[in-house]
Amino acid sequence: MFANPLNRSIKGLSAPVTLARRGKADVVIRKTTGQVLVGRGTYGRQSWNGQTATVFGCSGFLGRYIVARLAREGTKVIVPYRGLEEYVRHLRPTGDLGMVIPMEFDLRNSKQIEECVRYSDVVINLIGRNYETKNFSFDQVHIEGAQRIADVSREAGVSRLIHMSSINAKSNAHSQALVSKAFGEQRVREHFPGANIVRSATMYGYEDELLNNIGRFKHFYMTVNHAQQKLRPVCVSDVAHAIGIIRDNEDTVGQTFELYNPKEYSRKDVVELAQFLLHEKIWQVNVPPRLLRLAAQVANALPFHYTSHHEVDLMSIDDVPSKDPSIQTFADLGIQPHTLELAALQYIRHYRPPQHEEDPMEPKGYKAFRKPPVPVSNRDIVV
């Protein structure tokens, strides 16, 4: 009465099957370890490109952008955290189900660090602080912690280590935070010879402490030295993009990168730019550095963090790129960084007064969301 379904032609029941072909882009060979990584599935978020990355400091400003970029490309991302899992909960939707894996760890516990990097071929260390706490000093975070991650990563057979530092990290800097970062770089070089050091200038973005502080404290914005500090502000998405290229390009093993804006600004220039974009006067108050430092020391004794004298010291230090020709920049990675004047408005528009909320996002004559073409060499960047 009923036809046997097994007798039906498979050809008539099934749709044409398209076999995915492998290409050179599906295979990554690590120079340092010779490890061969083969991707699975189509390229993108709902696949695995064969790579696993551990991102220490993932809950910070830069971390969320790097995790989102890695997960979007199909990389399995380990996100170590300290404290509550809620601190990294917002990172899980950036990747497909099971591709962003939170793991609790303590920077002083080598065994827990080893568990976080055991299956990774890339480790990115973004851990850093501009102030000390009762639990961690600068040396414990920037020197001992960085060395411990480098040691454990090398012993675990990790192929690539990318260590994040500051463009102002120097052993003779007028800041304990920057001095400790400089010594941390040396320790990483000694304990993981093929590590990449990435030094970034002051970053800006949706969660930054540059543009957002100007907008938040626009009625009483405190500066030192009449806001003459020299800055090379760089967009956080550009830094995340650069780190992604460094991770993928095996020719960058062991190199040092400095990521900064080709154009130099004073802090006063940035304040005036924010004032123009917000259509509101920024009430800038110049405070003697010693007085502000004393007030910050008092505030640092409070139970919750407001500011510290270390952060006041950083307000007087200029962003000065190195003159070493061996150090790579954005141009060497083929990246044209965002222009501050064209990109700042999208990050501080919500600080505009109510009567200007409906004003255009782009000031007359500006195209805020259009990037210029990628430069071919350093000569294409106008300083």
Side-chain angles (χ1 to χ4, degrees):
M1 182 178 297
F2 298 101
N4 188 348
L6 297 179
N7 294 333
R8 296 177 183 175
S9 171
I10 297 179
K11 183 178 179 180
L13 289 176
S14 59
V17 178
T18 303
L19 297 178
R21 298 197 175 193
R22 291 292 178 191
K24 292 182 180 179
D26 296 320
V27 180
V28 176
I29 302 177
R30 296 298 186 191
K31 264 187 178 180
T32 52
T33 60
Q35 185 180 10
V36 179
L37 308 173
V38 181
R40 300 176 185 175
T42 57
Y43 181 83
R45 187 177 186 272
Q46 295 181 326
S47 64
W48 182 39
N49 59 13
Q51 303 180 42
T52 303
T54 300
V55 183
F56 290 100
C58 56
S59 59
F61 176 33
L62 175 61
R64 65 187 67 195
Y65 292 88
I66 292 179
V67 171
R69 179 173 288 272
L70 293 173
R72 187 170 65 244
E73 296 174 354
T75 302
K76 189 176 293 184
V77 188
I78 311 297
V79 287
Y81 67 93
R82 182 176 69 91
L84 302 176
E85 189 175 354
E86 295 177 356
Y87 298 158
V88 294
R89 183 172 57 184
H90 60 282
L91 299 176
R92 302 187 75 168
T94 60
D96 204 5
L97 183 64
M99 295 298 286
V100 179
I101 306 169
M103 293 187 68
E104 187 175 6
F105 91 112
D106 188 337
L107 188 59
R108 295 164 291 199
N109 192 322
S110 298
K111 183 178 180 180
Q112 291 182 347
I113 295 176
E114 193 274 334
E115 292 173 353
C116 294
V117 305
R118 182 179 299 166
Y119 302 106
S120 298
D121 61 288
V122 177
V123 172
I124 303 174
N125 181 19
L126 307 175
I127 297 177
R129 282 281 187 161
N130 290 337
Y131 58 91
E132 294 181 314
T133 67
K134 63 180 181 180
N135 295 319
F136 291 94
S137 65
F138 285 135
D139 289 349
Q140 290 175 320
V141 175
H142 297 152
I143 302 178
E144 297 171 13
Q147 176 184 330
R148 193 171 293 114
I149 290 175
D151 273 335
V152 173
S153 298
R154 187 193 70 252
E155 293 171 0
V158 172
S159 302
R160 300 291 300 273
L161 173 63
I162 301 175
H163 178 77
M164 192 69 189
S165 187
S166 170
I167 197 172
N168 298 318
K170 297 177 179 63
S171 57
N172 59 349
H174 185 61
S175 167
Q176 190 178 349
L178 298 176
V179 170
S180 60
K181 285 187 177 183
F183 286 119
E185 290 182 15
Q186 296 177 9
R187 295 285 183 91
V188 170
R189 288 285 195 202
E190 293 170 0
H191 294 263
F192 200 111
N196 290 106
I197 306 297
V198 179
R199 301 168 182 161
S200 171
T202 304
M203 290 184 287
Y204 65 88
Y206 285 109
E207 307 88 1
D208 71 352
E209 295 182 353
L210 177 63
L211 298 176
N212 275 285
N213 280 358
I214 296 174
R216 187 180 299 115
F217 303 110
K218 58 187 177 182
H219 300 301
F220 193 81
Y221 182 67
M222 291 186 289
T223 61
V224 297
N225 301 327
H226 301 280
Q228 294 305 309
Q229 179 191 18
K230 302 301 181 183
L231 300 174
R232 294 293 188 106
V234 59
C235 185
V236 63
S237 60
D238 290 332
V239 177
H241 185 194
I243 290 178
I245 294 178
I246 295 169
R247 172 188 67 104
D248 291 334
N249 189 350
E250 288 297 301
D251 293 333
T252 62
V253 173
Q255 294 181 351
T256 299
F257 294 83
E258 289 191 350
L259 308 179
Y260 55 89
N261 195 315
K263 183 179 178 181
E264 183 181 87
Y265 303 81
S266 67
R267 185 174 288 270
K268 185 178 180 180
D269 294 334
V270 180
V271 172
E272 290 176 351
L273 173 63
Q275 184 172 266
F276 168 73
L277 297 175
L278 296 179
H279 302 293
E280 187 175 8
K281 180 176 176 57
I282 306 296
W283 294 94
Q284 182 179 324
V285 180
N286 186 67
V287 183
R290 290 185 179 181
L291 180 60
L292 187 58
R293 199 174 190 276
L294 179 61
Q297 285 178 315
V298 175
N300 196 35
L302 298 175
F304 299 98
H305 175 73
Y306 294 98
T307 186
S308 75
H309 58 285
H310 299 293
E311 292 172 298
V312 175
D313 293 338
L314 294 174
M315 293 172 65
S316 303
I317 298 176
D318 298 335
D319 288 345
V320 181
S322 173
K323 296 181 180 180
D324 187 349
S326 65
I327 294 180
Q328 308 291 304
T329 62
F330 276 123
D332 299 292
L333 297 172
I335 299 175
Q336 173 68 32
H338 286 78
T339 304
L340 179 63
E341 291 87 349
L342 307 185
L345 182 57
Q346 60 183 306
Y347 303 121
I348 58 174
R349 181 173 179 265
H350 50 285
Y351 293 112
R352 278 180 169 178
Q355 63 270 25
H356 293 289
E357 284 185 355
E358 301 300 326
D359 289 356
M361 282 288 291
E362 299 177 354
K364 187 176 180 181
Y366 287 87
K367 295 294 181 183
F369 302 107
R370 294 187 183 179
K371 292 182 65 177
V374 176
V376 178
S377 64
N378 287 319
R379 292 174 296 179
D380 294 327
I381 298 181
V382 180
V383 180

